[in-house]
Amino acid sequence: MTKLTLGSHPYLLGFEQLERLVERTAKSGNEGYPPFNIEQTSDTSYRITLAVAGFREDDLSITVEHNQLVIRGRQADEGEDRVFLHRGIAARQFHRSFVLADGVEVSGATMENGLLHVDLKRAVPESVLQTIQIRKA
């Protein structure tokens, strides 16, 4: 028996890129830090919220490249003159990536009480009916 993959199914033409995208996302190495929520705020909008306590706006970067939203955090070293008797608050860098569907764009980002909110909006494409003329060979 032959295993059908998304890219090899006879009725799904041109979806090979989607299959590669799913594989790349599975291998992206996103760890559990920082924790995040994804919520649907309307029929065409979403919000990703990351818990980034201890990070300032200047410590964070948000980029979109090739339909991939990448959020990075890197805290500046506060100086080596500090002596910790116990260090239980994570002060590490992070890298979170999310794959965005075609037509989904970042509409803004805000920081509030140690939470980074990234708002996304999906454009609704117009329905197009295309008639194809049949030529004689």
Side-chain angles (χ1 to χ4, degrees), residues 71-137:
I71 304 169
R72 290 183 176 88
R74 177 177 297 207
Q75 291 177 319
D77 192 10
E78 293 289 325
E80 296 182 17
D81 57 338
R82 297 172 69 186
V83 177
F84 290 95
L85 300 178
H86 172 76
R87 189 164 190 172
I89 300 173
R92 60 183 179 197
Q93 62 186 9
F94 69 86
H95 170 258
R96 277 269 181 212
S97 60
F98 303 89
V99 178
L100 304 178
D102 288 336
V104 174
E105 297 179 354
V106 176
S107 59
T110 57
M111 281 277 284
E112 176 185 23
N113 300 325
L115 299 174
L116 173 66
H117 302 289
V118 180
D119 294 312
L120 309 170
K121 185 128 180 98
R122 179 173 40 96
V124 180
E126 287 186 29
S127 179
V128 176
L129 176 64
Q130 183 179 7
T131 303
I132 309 302
Q133 295 294 324
I134 303 173
R135 300 182 311 205
K136 291 185 180 182

Side-chain angles (χ1 to χ4, degrees), residues 15-33:
F15 285 90
E16 298 83 10
Q17 180 180 353
L18 181 60
E19 188 170 10
R20 286 191 299 272
L21 183 67
V22 170
E23 289 175 8
R24 186 178 78 200
T25 302
K27 297 177 185 176
S28 70
N30 275 336
E31 298 174 8
Y33 179 77

Side-chain angles (χ1 to χ4, degrees), residues 24-82:
R24 186 178 78 200
T25 302
K27 297 177 185 176
S28 70
N30 275 336
E31 298 174 8
Y33 179 77
F36 66 95
N37 292 336
I38 301 175
E39 60 185 302
Q40 186 170 2
T41 54
S42 76
D43 288 343
T44 59
S45 61
Y46 309 92
R47 174 175 267 190
I48 299 172
T49 301
L50 286 87
V52 292
F55 286 85
R56 300 178 311 233
E57 288 89 346
D58 294 341
D59 298 332
L60 302 168
S61 72
I62 303 170
T63 58
V64 177
E65 185 175 352
H66 302 296
N67 289 3
Q68 188 162 352
L69 169 66
V70 178
I71 304 169
R72 290 183 176 88
R74 177 177 297 207
Q75 291 177 319
D77 192 10
E78 293 289 325
E80 296 182 17
D81 57 338
R82 297 172 69 186

